[in-house]
Amino acid sequence: MTPVRWLFAPATDEVPRGQAGGAAFLRVLLGLMWLHNVSWKVPPDFGNADGGLYKWTAFAVSHPVFPPYSWVVEHAVLPNIEVFGWGVLIAESALAVLLLTGAWVRVAAVLGVGMSLSIGLSVAVAPHEWPWAYWLMIGAHVVILFSSAGRAFAVDALRSGLGSARGLGQVWGAIAVVVGGLAVLGSAGDDPVAARGHDLRAWDLAISVGRYNLVGSLVLVLIGVLLLVGARGRLALLCRAAAVVGALAALSLFAQVGFTDPLLGGTATSAAFLLSVALVAVTVAGAPDPAPPHA
């Protein structure tokens, strides 16, 4: 198999179950890291010297790690931060979606190595930073690249004909229903279309699945119900409907955040989570369950 074909092939090499489960856990953990951090990459200007992506990128100039990289940042990146910012937002959103869902895992791992290296070269020696955090980020993505992290709880497993479409769809459908239900409870009594919805995060542990106002919460519940019922009954039409609604909701957020009040009260993190559910839904719609073994 050529390197390119290997890169795009499902990361589902046969390994002991414990290794596959451990690799999947690390993959999801990295996905949650990227999912949380896309929320503060806000267009159209992506911050300034006082905050946002611009401030952190500028540390490459004020606290250089590798002078040639600092020169590129100073003369090419910072003057064009609007374009650069969109690239970062798209790349980190893709990382969150692909790692959480276990889709094209090796591609995501290579992208993760590149993004981690880029971030490290910008901020590794900035005030209050711990350089080893970036070495560990790079190392974790390298481990994912050469593991079977797509063998469990993953779209890659469906791509290779190993996983259960019914099972994966039901789990993700239930996750969407629970997350949406919690957001409904949290946004009760607020403006149904508040620009800043209820934030679903784990205290101060930097784990978040986004913000949702009441409308956004109900949309997420609807997507989850469609996927849950569609996966359980193997009804491709319902799964496709979940994928379409999820993708449209995510795109609406990407188009509105930073420009106007988001109709769903969300952030880029909300959009990436919605895209994750949509990707699982469209994959489940077209993936048959593996045939049971012969007695």
Side-chain angles (χ1 to χ4, degrees):
M1 183 182 296
T2 66
V4 173
R5 289 186 63 186
W6 175 83
L7 189 67
F8 284 88
T12 55
D13 295 341
E14 187 172 357
V15 295
R17 182 175 298 181
Q19 289 185 26
F25 174 80
L26 178 59
R27 186 199 83 223
V28 171
L29 200 63
L30 289 170
L32 289 171
M33 178 191 73
W34 293 112
L35 182 68
H36 170 77
N37 281 284
V38 295
S39 64
W40 57 272
K41 279 74 176 185
V42 182
D45 58 3
F46 294 94
N48 51 43
D50 295 322
L53 181 63
Y54 186 99
K55 171 187 174 180
W56 292 96
T57 305
F59 277 127
V61 179
S62 61
H63 296 76
V65 175
F66 182 56
Y69 180 82
S70 302
W71 186 93
V72 172
V73 169
E74 182 177 9
H75 293 91
V77 174
L78 293 179
N80 301 287
I81 191 64
E82 294 86 357
V83 176
F84 170 76
W86 272 108
V88 172
L89 177 58
I90 292 169
E92 292 193 5
S93 296
L95 275 167
V97 172
L98 296 180
L99 289 170
L100 284 175
T101 62
W104 291 274
V105 170
R106 292 171 182 147
V107 174
V110 170
L111 179 58
V113 169
M115 290 300 296
S116 300
L117 179 61
S118 174
I119 297 169
L121 288 174
S122 295
V123 302
V125 296
H128 311 298
E129 288 295 304
W130 186 49
W132 266 104
Y134 305 100
W135 287 115
L136 292 173
M137 284 170 60
I138 293 169
H141 287 91
V142 170
V143 169
I144 293 298
L145 176 62
F146 295 103
S147 74
S148 290
R151 194 173 178 89
F153 187 55
V155 164
D156 268 9
L158 302 189
R159 291 175 60 214
S160 63
L162 295 175
S164 165
R166 180 181 288 106
L168 186 65
Q170 287 186 112
V171 170
W172 270 95
I175 290 172
V177 169
V178 170
V179 171
L182 291 173
V184 167
L185 294 176
S187 60
D190 296 337
D191 180 355
V193 290
R196 286 176 61 84
H198 178 65
D199 192 6
L200 292 171
R201 60 183 297 167
W203 302 287
D204 294 320
L205 299 179
I207 297 176
S208 172
V209 289
R211 289 180 176 271
Y212 307 88
N213 58 25
L214 184 58
V215 172
S217 304
L218 292 175
V219 168
L220 186 53
V221 170
L222 172 63
I223 295 167
V225 169
L226 288 171
L227 177 54
L228 187 60
V229 175
R232 184 175 181 82
R234 302 302 288 124
L235 303 172
L237 182 60
L238 291 184
C239 294
R240 292 192 182 100
V244 170
V245 175
L248 290 176
L251 291 175
S252 76
L253 286 170
F254 280 127
Q256 293 171 343
V257 170
F259 298 96
T260 186
D261 292 343
L263 178 63
L264 304 181
T267 64
T269 290
S270 314
F273 182 75
L274 286 161
L275 278 181
S276 298
V277 182
L279 177 56
V280 171
V282 75
T283 306
V284 168
D289 281 330
H294 296 291

